[in-house]
């Protein structure tokens, strides 16, 4: 009974999740429980399987073994769409945007899917998208939130790298997710952009459950209440930032990886 | 100054164009009207191709098949079964759409060069049917004696002007249809699929269904063109469903630019005009056209309409102030 209750309270539950690619074990027997509203950081050296784990959670890649539950509901075999309906949203490590479209159009597409059921199908085909004030104002609102208010009519391909990352987050937020998977939102950002992004993530409404992959450990520890460390596809440590920082195994991996691969830790 | 207000440019241009189109038969010769009719029906085929290429990033080699299927059905239903007017064209368009529904199930699964190859194969299949099923299609010589209908007592067969207005009506309808599709949320969705399919799926959009619908809409547009082609020329043969016909439309779309409907019509217009003009001047007109294409692809990869738009965006301010200046000097 106790297990059932904790399952329902947890937004995301992974049990024994494994996936290998052609004999290489990318994710091995991962158990992960993220309670609703928690900020969880997923850290680990390059190739630890962090992004693969995200792809498994969203259903973009199917699992070999194990179970994935959102709010206690088993969705292991379900397609991406069903998981999104339960409030799952993600950003991508390398910006996955609609490059030939404007900022507003990018965010509109996300906002539209969220409120779409209220409009008729025929109108969706023939009525100008600009005549949907609700979604348009939502798009402007989100653009302002992620700091792109002044770039609203700019084509995505003309934005800077930092702005791409902001738009990446904007698209996901416009979809109003309850569980947010952020795949290295700070990758390649300047110091100032990093501060902006960190504040933005920390300022997200408290009911949103956030799992963030972050290379910079200090940033990860600042944002997250709990940290899970992934190494060679396995979770090797879990706990508060202080506990993880004190963990011998984690220290070893990070000294090792920063010696062999300085870039990843930077 | 009125002339300097950029918001006025579109409505002014649209009104001028409407007046020009409506008065065309009285302003110009029969020959020019005939050319305009040709440009319109081939323009529909080009638009169909541009719609898929611009909105979905898919180049189809079977749009001419839908163009031809509609034409063939008009021909067969009219000459063989003598069905009265609205039935053959409506059935023709209906069958073309059904065919797109069927072929689409296969074609939409592929992307890029695979889509190109699949549509090539399916298009050739239709061509083979048209060529080989002689008892129905009269083989390579094709079906002749297709007459344009009589509308409200006016014969579109006898009068080019009546035909022109008949087609202008349908053509405007299709242009409105495509323009509405392009600026609707559905249009945004298609461009979303074009730019990032994974993202669209991650936002919960049914990517395959969107592609499928676009494929069917494009076929519908080509089919309308096919109906008018059959009516105007009075004949249909395997050439109209052939790869060559499709490639001509593809060249027109490269020439005009795939991203605007205007570009599609402009490209078709230039191509068809050159076809006539150059073939009168030199036997090697294909060579001349080849060189022209090379120049377009190298220096204006977005086509003439696309490049014109770029130039306009870049020099808009200067041109508008020039116009304003002109107004001032005109009215001291």
């Amino acid at each position: 009974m106790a297990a059932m209750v904790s399952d329902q309270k947890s937004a995301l539950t992974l049990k024994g999740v494994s996936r290998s690619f052609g004999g290489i074990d990318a994710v091995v027997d991962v158990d992960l429980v993220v309670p609703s509203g928690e900020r969880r950081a997923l850290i680990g050296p390059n190739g630890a399987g962090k992004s693969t784990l995200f792809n498994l959670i969203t259903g973009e890649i199917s699992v070999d073994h194990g179970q994935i539950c959102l709010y206690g509901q088993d969705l292991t075999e379900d397609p991406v769409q069903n998981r999104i309906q339960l409030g799952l949203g993600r950003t991508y490590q390398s910006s996955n945007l609609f490059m030939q479209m404007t900022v507003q159009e990018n965010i509109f597409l996300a906002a539209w899917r969220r409120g779409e059921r209220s409009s008729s199908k025929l109108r969706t085909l023939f009525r100008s998208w600009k005549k949907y004030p609700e979604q348009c104002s939502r798009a402007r609102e989100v653009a302002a939130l992620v700091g792109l208010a002044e770039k609203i009519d700019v084509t995505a391909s003309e934005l800077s790298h930092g702005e791409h990352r902001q738009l990446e987050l904007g698209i996901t937020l416009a979809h109003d997710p309850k569980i947010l998977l952020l795949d290295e939102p700070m990758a390649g950002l300047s110091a100032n952009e990093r501060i902006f992004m960190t504040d933005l993530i920390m300022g997200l409404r408290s009911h949103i459950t956030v799992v963030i992959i972050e290379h910079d450990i200090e940033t990860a520890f600042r944002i997250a209440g709990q940290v899970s460390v992934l190494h060679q596809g396995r979770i090797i440590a879990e706990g508060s930032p202080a506990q993880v920082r004190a963990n011998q195994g984690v220290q070893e991996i990070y000294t090792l990886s920063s010696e062999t691969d300085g870039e990843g830790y930077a | 100054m009125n002339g300097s207000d950029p918001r006025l440019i579109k409505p002014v241009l649209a009104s001028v164009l409407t007046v020009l189109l409506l008065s065309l038969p009285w302003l110009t010769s029969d020959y020019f009207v005939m050319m305009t009719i040709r440009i319109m029906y081939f323009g529909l085929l080009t638009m169909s191709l541009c719609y898929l290429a611009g909105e979905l990033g898919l180049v189809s080699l079977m749009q001419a098949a839908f163009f031809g299927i509609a034409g063939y059905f008009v021909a067969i239903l009219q000459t063989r079964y003598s069905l009265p007017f609205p039935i053959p064209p409506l059935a023709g368009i209906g069958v073309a759409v059904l065919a797109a529904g069927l072929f689409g199930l296969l074609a939409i699964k592929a992307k890029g060069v695979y889509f190109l190859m699949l549509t090539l194969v399916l298009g050739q299949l239709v061509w083979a049917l048209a060529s080989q099923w002689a008892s129905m299609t009269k083989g390579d010589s094709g079906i002749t004696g297709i007459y344009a209908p009589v509308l409200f007592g006016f014969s579109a067969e006898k009068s080019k002007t009546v035909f022109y207005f008949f087609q202008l009506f349908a053509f405007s309808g299709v242009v409105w249809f495509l323009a509405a599709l392009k600026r609707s949320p559905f249009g945004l969705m298609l461009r979303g699929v074009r730019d990032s399919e994974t993202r669209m799926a991650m936002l919960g959009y049914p990517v395959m269904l969107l592609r499928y619908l676009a494929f069917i809409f494009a076929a519908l547009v080509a089919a309308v063109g096919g109906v008018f082609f059959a009516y105007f020329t009075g004949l249909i043969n395997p050439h109209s469903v052939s790869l060559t016909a499709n490639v001509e439309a593809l060249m027109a779309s490269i020439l005009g630019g795939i991203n605007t409907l205007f570009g599609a019509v402009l490209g078709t217009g230039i191509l068809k005009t050159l076809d006539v003009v150059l073939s009168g001047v030199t036997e090697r007109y294909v060579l001349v056209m080849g060189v022209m294409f090379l120049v377009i692809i190298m220096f204006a990869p977005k086509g003439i309409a696309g490049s014109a738009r770029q130039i306009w965006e870049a020099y808009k301010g200067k041109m508008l102030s020039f116009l304003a200046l002109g107004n001032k000097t005109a009215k001291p």
Side-chain angles (χ1 to χ4, degrees):
Chain A
M1 268 321 267
M4 279 278 287
V5 173
S6 81
D7 260 10
Q8 277 165 359
K9 275 188 187 164
S10 79
L12 178 66
T13 313
L14 270 60
K15 282 180 197 151
V17 168
S18 300
R19 170 73 202 215
S20 62
F21 297 102
I24 297 161
D25 297 324
V27 170
V28 188
D29 201 20
V30 165
D31 292 323
L32 189 71
V33 179
V34 184
S36 192
E38 189 179 282
R39 306 289 144 104
R40 171 77 58 111
L42 200 58
I43 63 170
N46 281 338
K50 303 180 299 282
S51 290
T52 306
L53 197 61
F54 270 16
N55 287 333
L56 292 171
I57 296 171
T58 59
E60 285 163 282
I61 296 175
S62 61
V63 298
D64 290 339
H65 307 286
Q67 195 185 32
I68 294 168
C69 302
L70 299 179
Y71 298 106
Q73 197 171 330
D74 185 353
L75 293 168
T76 316
E77 303 296 326
D78 285 48
V80 179
Q81 277 194 38
N82 297 8
R83 305 176 196 218
I84 291 158
Q85 269 167 17
L86 280 176
L88 187 66
R90 78 167 292 180
T91 68
Y92 291 84
Q93 189 176 352
S94 49
S95 300
N96 192 347
L97 306 169
F98 308 118
M99 281 297 180
Q100 307 303 316
M101 297 162 76
T102 66
V103 168
Q104 192 178 13
E105 287 170 336
N106 267 272
I107 305 176
F108 182 96
L109 273 177
W112 173 267
R113 193 58 185 161
R114 170 177 155 269
E116 164 186 50
R117 272 148 208 90
S118 58
S119 74
S120 90
K121 292 274 182 274
L122 212 61
R123 276 188 178 178
T124 306
L125 288 176
F126 296 115
R127 193 181 184 194
S128 168
W129 67 269
K130 286 177 180 157
K131 288 186 182 159
Y132 288 91
E134 192 192 324
Q135 282 92 346
C136 283
S137 67
R138 170 80 181 155
R140 278 193 297 274
E141 194 183 299
V142 173
L145 178 71
V146 297
L148 291 173
E150 278 157 29
K151 306 268 177 162
I152 196 120
D153 290 320
V154 176
T155 309
S157 61
E158 287 165 17
L159 298 175
S160 72
H161 173 76
E163 288 162 342
H164 281 163
R165 302 309 292 161
Q166 285 158 255
L167 182 55
E168 176 77 28
L169 186 59
I171 291 176
T172 312
L173 288 179
H175 205 248
D176 217 6
K178 286 191 280 185
I179 305 173
L180 188 54
L181 309 179
L182 301 174
D183 196 345
E184 292 196 39
M186 326 262 182
L189 293 189
S190 70
N192 278 340
E193 289 168 333
R194 199 171 262 276
I195 292 167
F196 176 80
M197 192 64 96
T198 310
D199 288 346
L200 187 58
I201 294 166
M202 290 176 77
L204 290 175
R205 271 175 277 174
S206 60
H207 72 272
I208 303 178
T209 310
V210 179
V211 182
I212 177 171
I213 296 176
E214 180 48 50
H215 254 301
D216 182 56
I217 297 205
E218 292 315 316
T219 312
F221 285 0
R222 244 189 96 200
I223 293 173
Q226 291 284 308
V227 180
S228 300
V229 186
L230 207 61
H231 181 49
Q232 293 175 346
R234 295 169 197 274
I235 294 210
I236 58 154
E238 207 166 63
S240 68
Q243 285 168 327
V244 168
R245 206 189 287 272
N247 186 300
Q248 198 78 42
V250 177
Q251 285 174 4
E252 272 170 31
I253 294 167
Y254 271 94
T255 0
L256 215 70
S257 72
S258 60
E259 274 166 15
T260 54
D261 171 34
E263 246 178 86
Y265 189 63
Chain B
M1 286 286 118
N2 282 345
S4 65
D5 190 348
R7 280 169 306 174
L8 279 176
I9 287 176
K10 265 195 177 166
V12 166
L13 275 181
S15 329
V16 170
L17 193 70
T18 311
V19 171
L20 268 181
L21 283 174
L22 287 177
S23 52
L24 191 89
W26 293 281
L27 291 178
T28 60
S29 64
D30 252 16
Y31 183 76
F32 196 86
V33 173
M34 192 194 80
M35 276 308 286
T36 313
I37 291 171
R38 288 188 69 204
I39 289 166
M40 278 200 275
Y41 59 67
F42 280 124
L44 288 170
L45 176 59
T46 311
M47 272 191 230
S48 158
L49 205 104
C50 284
Y51 180 66
L52 283 180
E55 301 285 286
L56 269 181
L58 293 174
V59 175
S60 164
L61 289 181
M62 71 173 307
Q63 292 320 100
F66 301 122
F67 180 87
I69 287 174
Y72 264 107
F73 266 81
V74 168
I76 292 166
L77 294 180
Q78 197 186 75
T79 58
R80 201 181 167 106
Y81 300 102
S82 313
L83 292 176
F85 164 61
I87 299 172
L90 290 181
I93 294 169
V95 172
V97 167
L98 272 179
L102 204 68
F103 292 141
L105 291 176
L106 289 168
I108 52 147
K109 296 214 167 105
K111 273 178 287 181
V113 75
Y114 298 102
F115 181 82
L116 201 79
M117 293 196 298
L118 248 175
T119 51
L120 172 66
V121 170
L122 293 172
Q124 289 303 92
L125 197 78
V126 174
W127 172 81
L129 257 179
S131 169
Q132 306 296 316
W133 192 7
S135 61
M136 188 57 85
T137 63
K138 302 205 176 148
D140 289 339
S141 54
I143 304 172
T144 51
I146 311 159
Y147 297 108
V150 176
L151 302 152
F152 308 109
F154 299 102
S155 167
E157 181 65 31
K158 286 182 189 139
S159 159
K160 292 255 187 308
T161 307
V162 174
F163 194 98
Y164 171 78
F165 282 111
F166 175 33
Q167 191 181 342
L168 185 64
F169 177 72
F171 181 82
S172 313
V174 173
V175 168
W176 176 85
F177 172 76
L178 281 181
L181 280 183
K182 279 172 85 119
R183 60 163 192 262
S184 68
F186 175 74
L188 279 190
M189 288 174 214
L190 291 187
R191 294 195 285 283
V193 172
R194 176 197 66 192
D195 284 4
S196 171
E197 211 178 302
T198 50
R199 187 83 210 211
M200 284 300 278
M202 198 54 226
L203 288 173
Y205 284 102
V207 172
M208 282 296 163
L209 179 66
L210 288 170
R211 276 234 201 90
Y212 187 59
L213 286 174
F215 191 74
I216 290 175
F217 290 146
L220 173 72
V221 172
V224 175
V227 167
F228 285 99
F229 169 80
Y231 274 148
F232 190 70
T233 58
L235 119 143
I236 188 126
N237 58 30
H239 176 77
S240 53
V241 295
S242 70
L243 183 63
T244 317
N246 203 86
V247 170
E248 272 174 24
L250 187 61
M251 300 210 316
S253 44
I254 293 167
L255 201 61
I258 56 167
N259 285 319
T260 57
L261 297 175
F262 178 67
V265 182
L266 183 72
T268 313
I270 295 173
L271 198 75
K272 291 294 165 192
T273 311
L274 281 180
D275 218 13
V276 174
V277 174
L278 284 179
S279 61
V281 177
T282 164
E283 271 177 35
R284 296 189 178 76
Y285 73 100
V286 180
L287 192 72
V288 178
M289 277 165 68
V291 171
M292 206 183 67
F293 268 98
L294 217 60
V295 172
I296 293 277
I297 289 169
M298 283 170 71
F299 298 105
K302 287 186 171 175
I304 293 171
S307 302
R309 188 183 239 182
Q310 271 179 339
I311 293 169
W312 169 248
E313 292 295 332
Y315 295 101
K316 190 158 67 178
K318 276 185 191 170
M319 286 191 207
L320 287 176
S321 58
F322 178 75
L323 279 176
L325 208 68
N327 277 357
K328 271 176 200 155
T329 48
K331 285 182 273 178

